[in-house]
Amino acid sequence: MVLESFQVGTGDVPTVFLHGFLGSGRNLRSLAVAWTQADPRRRILLPDLTGHGASPALSPDADLSTLARDVVDTLDAQGFTGAIDWVGHSLGGRVSLAASLHASGRVGSVTLLDIAPGPVPLDLSESGYVLDILLQAPPRADNRRALRADLIGRGLSEGLSDWLLMNLVPDGDGVRWRFDRDALLRLHKRVIGEDLWPAVERPVHPPLRCIRGGRSKYVPDAAAERLEAAGCPVALLPDAGHFVHVDSPQALLAWLLA
């Protein structure tokens, strides 16, 4: 399945940059532009993962390998050949690890942005919290302001509300959600339980690295130590939460360039 995507940069180092759960490729556009300006060798593809943004809908049994295969199909369609660099935030990082298992010939390296390979405990899943609120929101509204007020009234921050509202599309004289919220709930339940440590701890794996936010719980100390022991260096952005590219973009860019 070919996904909606766009490219940044025209260099000869092909890279795919994957967003997190409930996001889209444009969430990472500013960082991708800054990266290609600082390193003109990069050519970065930013897809909307399956079921996200403007990409096709999720199949009922979609899992991380499904999402990874769809990214590979999109790389093929856009002329990104051979083994390339995969960079993924949160869900995007887990898709990248799945690709290294199921399409190893297409993965030259994996960079994880605030995500660990193990199953994500439900009580640590910020995405799960946001999804719970999203599922309570009405399917459509007269305007964006009304849905914004609804989300904030249910306890979501203004910043997260505005981020979610990027997924609204016109619907007659109102707006509706672009994605299938129930399908995303099924996907979330399936993917947070997947164990991807085999991608990291096998005898031979592509170069790996991970960066974690100091205010995030997604890469606990035990996971960071286990990653390091498996040959995956882990760096820390002390002032960042889970959305490292939003909280500490300059520090993250410096680390990507290192």
Side-chain angles (χ1 to χ4, degrees):
M1 180 187 296
V2 176
L3 307 172
E4 179 73 16
S5 65
F6 64 93
Q7 296 183 34
V8 172
T10 57
D12 57 4
V13 179
T15 306
V16 63
F17 205 175
L18 302 179
H19 63 82
F21 190 70
L22 300 177
S24 66
R26 58 182 172 159
N27 295 153
L28 301 170
R29 185 185 188 99
S30 295
L31 181 57
V33 169
W35 193 1
T36 56
Q37 288 173 344
D39 181 2
R41 300 174 307 142
R42 292 277 167 186
R43 176 187 173 211
I44 302 177
L45 184 72
L46 296 103
D48 294 347
L49 291 171
T50 319
H52 292 73
S55 281
L58 290 156
S59 61
D61 59 346
D63 58 12
L64 289 174
S65 63
T66 308
L67 271 61
R69 286 195 300 271
D70 290 345
V71 174
V72 170
D73 288 347
T74 307
L75 291 169
D76 291 342
Q78 298 299 330
F80 284 67
T81 59
I84 71 168
D85 296 333
W86 290 60
V87 183
H89 172 246
S90 197
L91 172 63
R94 294 174 69 77
V95 171
S96 301
L97 288 175
S100 77
L101 286 171
H102 302 291
S104 58
R106 303 305 309 276
V107 181
S109 70
V110 173
T111 296
L112 303 172
L113 305 185
D114 203 59
I115 196 66
V120 181
L122 268 175
D123 60 336
L124 290 186
S125 175
E126 189 171 335
S127 300
Y129 165 72
V130 174
L131 183 59
D132 283 344
I133 291 176
L134 177 64
L135 287 165
Q136 297 170 39
R140 74 177 303 283
D142 290 339
N143 53 57
R144 184 179 180 278
R145 288 190 309 278
L147 271 176
R148 186 178 193 269
D150 183 271
L151 294 173
I152 292 172
R154 296 180 192 277
L156 209 58
S157 70
E158 291 186 4
L160 277 175
S161 297
D162 289 336
W163 174 68
L164 276 180
L165 294 173
M166 294 171 69
N167 293 292
L168 291 177
V169 292
D171 181 38
D173 57 355
V175 293
R176 63 171 174 80
W177 298 107
R178 187 204 312 261
F179 42 44
D180 181 335
R181 294 176 294 171
D182 292 327
L184 287 169
L185 175 62
R186 292 192 296 270
L187 177 72
H188 184 260
K189 288 179 175 178
R190 190 173 290 122
V191 302
I192 66 170
E194 290 194 45
D195 183 358
L196 293 158
W197 281 109
V200 176
E201 295 179 329
R202 54 190 163 151
V204 179
H205 58 67
L208 303 167
R209 59 179 176 162
C210 174
I211 196 162
R212 59 178 179 150
R215 297 188 289 105
S216 172
K217 299 177 181 178
Y218 275 80
V219 187
D221 291 343
E225 293 166 7
R226 188 171 170 183
L227 283 166
E228 293 267 9
C232 173
V234 180
L236 178 71
L237 293 180
D239 298 326
H242 182 51
F243 292 90
V244 288
H245 55 289
V246 175
D247 297 336
S248 298
Q250 292 306 120
L252 176 57
L253 177 60
W255 177 77
L256 288 169
L257 291 167

